[in-house]
Amino acid sequence: MDQKPQDDIDFLEPSVLLDETHYQEGFKNGYNDGLVSGKEEGRQVGLKNGFQVGEELGFYQGCVDVWMSVICIDHNAFSARIRKNIEQLAALVRSYPLYDPEDEQIQDIMEKIRLKFRVITANLGAKLEYEGRPASSKHDVEDL
Amino acid sequence: MDGGGVAELREAHRLTGHSDRVWSLEWNPSPGAGASPVLASCGGDKAVRIWKRAADGAWHCSDVLEDTHNRTVRSCAWSPDGKLLATASFDSTTAIWEYSGGDFECVATLEGHENEVKSVSWSPSGSLLATCSRDKTVWIWEMQPGNEYECVAVLQGHTQDVKMVQWHPFLDVLVSVSYDNSIRVWADDGDDEWHCVQILTEADNCGHSSTVWALSFNQKGDRMVTCSDDRTLKIWDTSADLSQPKTGGDHESWRHLSTLTGYQGRTIFSAHWSSEDIIASGAGDDTICLFTEKGSMVEGPSYRLILKKEKAHDMDINCVRWCPQDPRMLASASDDGTVKLWELRGNVLD
């Protein structure tokens, strides 16, 4: 028999829950805004990163194409070891998972590609370098 | 020759000529039948000097190799047949010199490292050359006909400056030491594929706790000494043949035998194992220490100090090398710009 009139509960409730409703609305707005700007930012980062990776891989593929053409014309232009290294570089570049940026191995494969490229250019005596990334020498201080 | 008496290291000759610190020394392993020993030294003055002993016993500088490197020459190494000298420089190149007609001629230049080359070493077969650099890599080169050198492999693994590389005395196994405190052992699978087959660290192997500066094998190849910024020398059992690719579960590896500590108060920059099994070490406290095996104890071999030469030089000692033709003669190089030749006299055995 101790029942409050329905009116009391109804009229108090929105006031009590005002904090909560404002919070929820704010959160929803923020979330939606975030979704939009996050997607846009992600798109920019993805484009930038994708461009960098693509440009670097394209550089190595281009070099491989030139060298392979030389070998086609003159099979003995390079030594057997250099030929093998060029073939290994071609295989490495082909194996890079371009469509799976989440693949754990991408860093590893890129390192192998860069290393193989250095071996080949050292042997060809070619001062050829992918200009896009900083070399270690520019940052460190000389020690003994 | 020995006669007895207390062991002492007597300064026999002082070689001056370098105009800056002398970094490294190497005795020619094959100077020719009947010829006197030949010593190469290199340093901050961008030059390499060749020293020979005249008939009257005095040492003189017979050749100066300059105008090739345009920065410090940090290390040099003779080929096993004594006909070629490789010089490694801060200018990021390694030059190969040939001694012909009484003159040294630069016949090849190896380029590839991104910055300062710290060390160079010839394989026992004479066909492979290893170099290492501040760029954290180790490069292996193969000598081809006509003074051509081909890069066989670039070894990545060290996380910091690599200070020295040295081949095993008769196996195709390469060891590198680094500012990253580790010692790495490299071998190939027979097809130009070189891998790191062992890493000796502080955590797993009782390894060094600071920069490892140098290493040296004994003549038999079953012992190696390393020296470090942590002011210790460590002796390793290197009898396991790591040049063979492992099959099955047999994982023999190199292991720590002994640590010599408390003898030198600063960084030990160089250590060298003589053919008579005496270990010489040179340090930043200007001292040279000599150690030998104490005889096999139950727990394994241990080492004792033969003598400590204080104020051997006026400044840091960068390199110590025993003469292969006279195992009681020791050469030392220092920041003070001089090279000294020492004679070990007296009773060094127990």
Side-chain angles (χ1 to χ4, degrees):
Chain A
M1 305 312 132
D2 253 289
Q3 244 180 348
K4 288 200 165 77
Q6 292 292 84
D7 285 340
D8 283 342
I9 297 168
D10 284 347
F11 115 85
L12 275 175
E13 204 167 325
S15 322
V16 164
L17 296 177
L18 198 60
D19 268 8
E20 186 63 24
T21 36
H22 279 180
Y23 174 86
Q24 289 296 346
E25 202 177 312
F27 182 89
K28 200 176 67 177
N29 287 344
Y31 184 88
N32 289 337
D33 281 351
L35 208 55
V36 169
S37 66
K39 265 191 188 160
E40 183 53 32
E41 197 180 309
R43 199 177 79 89
Q44 297 294 340
V45 170
L47 274 176
K48 178 163 173 263
N49 195 255
F51 180 87
Q52 282 172 330
V53 171
E55 188 190 58
E56 188 171 358
L57 281 180
F59 172 80
Y60 298 128
Q61 184 62 56
C63 292
V64 163
D65 288 344
V66 169
W67 292 329
M68 290 300 214
S69 308
V70 171
I71 295 172
C72 275
I73 296 171
D74 175 8
H75 187 71
N76 292 317
F78 305 132
S79 76
R81 174 179 280 132
I82 297 176
R83 269 204 309 277
K84 187 179 84 162
N85 280 326
I86 293 170
E87 276 154 29
Q88 285 171 340
L89 179 61
L92 277 167
V93 173
R94 264 199 308 276
S95 79
Y96 189 93
L98 274 174
Y99 296 101
D100 187 7
E102 309 260 297
D103 189 325
E104 306 171 329
Q105 295 199 34
I106 52 172
Q107 198 50 40
D108 201 40
I109 299 179
M110 189 56 100
E111 288 296 326
K112 288 197 173 100
I113 290 173
R114 288 173 183 154
L115 207 59
K116 192 62 72 177
F117 183 76
R118 275 180 77 187
V119 175
I120 297 171
T121 51
N123 280 331
L124 294 180
K127 284 196 182 6
L128 197 57
E129 223 177 284
Y130 172 62
E131 301 287 328
R133 66 173 190 102
S136 55
S137 50
K138 294 191 182 101
H139 298 291
D140 305 325
V141 175
E142 178 192 326
D143 65 348
L144 303 175
Chain B
M1 210 180 11
D2 239 348
V6 176
E8 62 148 346
L9 199 61
R10 194 180 73 85
E11 181 179 324
H13 299 276
R14 193 163 155 270
L15 311 178
T16 55
H18 279 289
S19 55
D20 201 316
R21 54 161 47 118
V22 186
W23 273 118
S24 198
L25 301 166
E26 281 295 333
W27 292 97
N28 188 323
S30 319
S36 89
V38 174
L39 181 67
S41 65
C42 59
D45 58 4
K46 311 174 194 168
V48 178
R49 284 177 174 257
I50 310 294
W51 310 87
K52 293 182 178 162
R53 186 170 58 201
D56 64 353
W59 286 79
H60 66 282
C61 176
S62 65
D63 299 87
V64 181
L65 280 50
E66 52 195 347
D67 299 326
T68 291
H69 288 297
N70 47 37
R71 285 185 65 192
T72 291
V73 185
R74 181 65 176 81
S75 162
C76 54
W78 296 94
S79 60
D81 65 5
K83 298 199 171 99
L84 298 171
L85 181 68
T87 57
S89 169
F90 281 2
D91 67 10
S92 80
T93 71
T94 303
I96 312 291
W97 304 78
E98 193 172 53
Y99 188 56
S100 62
D103 222 1
F104 280 85
E105 191 198 334
C106 178
V107 294
T109 305
L110 311 182
E111 296 182 349
H113 279 296
E114 282 179 7
N115 47 46
E116 295 87 2
V117 189
K118 299 299 178 93
S119 173
V120 59
S121 176
W122 290 87
S123 71
S125 62
S127 62
L128 296 177
L129 198 58
T131 57
C132 66
S133 159
R134 180 165 69 81
D135 68 9
K136 309 172 201 165
T137 63
V138 173
W139 288 53
I140 299 182
W141 309 80
E142 190 183 44
M143 191 164 75
Q144 310 281 315
N147 288 319
E148 290 290 317
Y149 288 81
E150 215 167 52
C151 173
V152 170
V154 174
L155 311 176
Q156 272 183 341
H158 281 296
T159 56
Q160 298 280 4
D161 188 0
V162 189
K163 298 294 191 187
M164 182 173 178
V165 279
Q166 185 71 32
W167 292 92
H168 185 276
F170 49 84
L171 296 172
D172 267 351
V173 164
L174 182 67
V175 182
S176 60
V177 296
S178 165
Y179 183 83
D180 70 9
N181 308 354
S182 76
I183 300 157
R184 282 182 179 251
V185 188
W186 312 85
D188 87 326
D189 62 358
D191 196 30
D192 274 5
E193 290 297 320
W194 288 78
H195 306 282
C196 180
V197 295
Q198 192 168 9
I199 311 175
L200 302 172
T201 61
E202 180 181 15
D204 297 336
N205 315 91
C206 311
H208 288 288
S209 55
S210 189
T211 303
V212 188
W213 279 93
L215 74 130
S216 177
F217 281 99
N218 67 350
Q219 210 170 32
K220 276 171 61 187
D222 64 348
R223 295 284 182 268
M224 173 176 82
V225 60
T226 54
C227 60
S228 163
D229 188 54
D230 68 10
R231 309 178 212 161
T232 70
L233 291 158
K234 287 183 185 276
I235 316 289
W236 305 84
D237 176 347
T238 59
S239 48
D241 184 351
L242 297 180
S243 68
Q244 304 306 314
K246 293 211 199 344
T247 46
D250 188 88
H251 284 283
E252 265 209 23
S253 49
W254 292 2
R255 54 187 192 92
H256 171 263
L257 277 180
S258 180
T259 296
L260 303 172
T261 182
Y263 296 100
Q264 286 167 303
R266 289 265 151 81
T267 302
I268 306 177
F269 289 112
S270 178
H272 199 229
W273 205 306
S274 82
S275 56
E276 288 188 334
D277 287 327
I278 300 174
I279 300 167
S281 67
D285 62 359
D286 313 347
T287 68
I288 294 174
C289 283
L290 301 183
F291 302 88
T292 191
E293 204 177 297
K294 210 170 5 188
S296 284
M297 319 286 274
V298 175
E299 313 86 43
S302 66
Y303 297 81
R304 67 173 178 88
L305 179 76
I306 298 172
L307 64 89
K308 177 173 176 176
K309 187 78 185 175
E310 305 267 6
K311 287 250 139 264
H313 279 271
D314 294 332
M315 294 169 76
D316 287 11
I317 296 170
N318 297 319
C319 186
V320 288
R321 289 284 184 270
W322 293 102
C323 176
Q325 291 85 31
D326 177 358
R328 290 291 166 101
M329 180 155 68
L330 181 72
S332 62
S334 165
D335 273 1
D336 65 14
T338 68
V339 173
K340 288 191 182 182
L341 300 180
W342 307 83
E343 275 170 27
L344 175 59
R345 288 163 165 242
N347 194 357
V348 302
L349 306 167
D350 246 332

